[in-house]
Amino acid sequence: MAALRTALHARLVQTLPFSFGSLRFASSFKAADLTIERNPKCKPKPDPSTLLFGKQFSDHMLTVSWSEKDGWDAPQIKPFQNLSLHPASSALHYSIELFEGMKAFRGVDNHIRLFRPMLNMERMHRSAERSCLPLFDKTELLECIKKLVEVDQDWVPFSQDASLYIRPTFIGTEPSLGVSRAGKALIFVIIGPVGPYFATGSFNPVSLLADPGFVRAWKGGVGAYKMGGNYGPTIAVQNEALKQGCQQVLWLYGEDEEITEVGTMNLFIYWTNAKGERELVTPPLDGIILPGVTRQSLLDLSRTWGEFKVTERTMGMKELLGALDAGRVLEVFGAGTACVVCPVGSLLYKGKTYQIPTMQNGPDLAKRFYKELTDIQYGRQPSEWAPVVV
């Protein structure tokens, strides 16, 4: 009987991770309580053709404060401004923080759309739970974000080569140096117009450095959550890639050198497998991989088409290089909110450069994915994935 109780308890804990720390945070702020303070000094909007990624911001921001004593404050949209933080804030010392990346698009009909925004809210909620930050109602936060986009709708570029980037952020603001759950926290959302993520342009191939000496995430860690602590340590490796003539990093893991992610993107390989089948392969969500919204969208589209096999499984460098040598690899590309789809042209591994025939093959599939997604995002193709905001 004791063994049964132990087994049942273990299963409960597995299905409700961190639940005991989260029950106290059952209440949430409400979008109906949102207040808006208009910025009296709005800035001129930039020319969409000059936009870089993440360098310019709109006139307003959204903030929602929380404290263990008083719970959630009412959400506020106010003029874009600096934050005022206690020097001992837990986000600054122990990286108790997380973020999301979303976009709004001005369509061919001049309506403004988001793209599968609830997937971002669900991932943000999971990251908050893992960070021991207070939980919130996902729908209420999304409604607040929609209102922020509406207020700053003129910042959504009048261009189908640009978009409005949305950065929800959640930080612990506990003014204490103790390593413990934050008793104060802040959600803030900033937005700004963006152009292509990569300097090479929106659909030019990138080169990758694959070095097994560097690891992005590991089993039992937080690679599946969108926390800032997953990104800062990768900058030095990115710089190493640049020194070696590459643009991005192919992250490997474990003794088998499993391929996991490329830069900050999910990775896809389109090939003819050992059985002679056309197949799209991407690493599984095993705790190392970030569950990307674009990743899920490519998988959903592929399975809807039903034209080739779609597989989520691990793949080691040995298998990938063997397939390259055999001429079975057709396309390799990354996928993410910032770039949508990004083709890979070469791979530097242990001093040897391997050419990947992505561009020689069109790349037919990567281009098809890019067109399908951008047609939905910019309203050329009606879809429930792209709800109209304005």
Side-chain angles (χ1 to χ4, degrees), residues 49-217:
S49 66
T50 65
L51 290 172
L52 299 175
F53 188 87
K55 298 292 187 181
Q56 294 173 293
F57 301 95
S58 71
D59 294 312
H60 298 86
M61 63 191 297
L62 169 70
T63 63
V64 198
S65 299
W66 175 89
S67 71
E68 197 165 25
K69 178 183 177 183
D70 299 319
W72 287 104
D73 289 345
Q76 297 177 293
I77 290 176
K78 56 191 179 184
F80 189 95
Q81 58 195 265
N82 292 338
L83 300 176
S84 179
L85 296 176
H86 192 284
S89 291
S90 50
L92 302 178
H93 296 268
Y94 307 123
S95 195
I96 301 178
E97 72 88 47
L98 58 98
F99 66 96
E100 271 301 325
M102 310 165 58
K103 282 182 176 178
F105 306 86
R106 187 176 297 277
V108 293
D109 54 2
N110 204 35
H111 288 309
I112 296 171
R113 293 171 173 84
L114 299 178
F115 182 72
R116 307 192 80 174
M118 190 51 71
L119 293 183
N120 294 96
M121 296 297 96
E122 290 167 355
R123 186 172 64 186
M124 186 172 180
H125 197 268
R126 292 194 299 270
S127 297
E129 192 169 30
R130 182 63 177 85
S131 302
C132 285
L133 286 168
L135 299 186
F136 53 88
D137 187 299
K138 300 179 283 289
T139 301
E140 298 294 338
L141 176 57
L142 180 56
E143 288 303 311
C144 292
I145 291 173
K146 288 178 179 178
K147 191 64 180 180
L148 176 63
V149 173
E150 181 184 337
V151 168
D152 273 343
Q153 60 183 277
D154 290 343
W155 282 90
V156 184
F158 288 82
S159 167
Q160 290 175 46
D161 296 314
S163 55
L164 184 80
Y165 189 74
I166 303 169
R167 173 51 64 90
T169 312
F170 199 179
I171 62 175
T173 57
E174 176 72 22
S176 169
L177 296 180
V179 182
S180 61
R181 182 170 58 194
K184 292 186 177 181
L186 173 70
I187 290 176
F188 65 92
V189 183
I190 53 178
I191 61 179
V194 296
Y197 184 72
F198 294 115
T200 55
S202 60
F203 214 81
N204 290 315
V206 296
S207 53
L208 306 181
L209 171 66
D211 187 335
F214 301 110
V215 179
R216 187 196 81 92

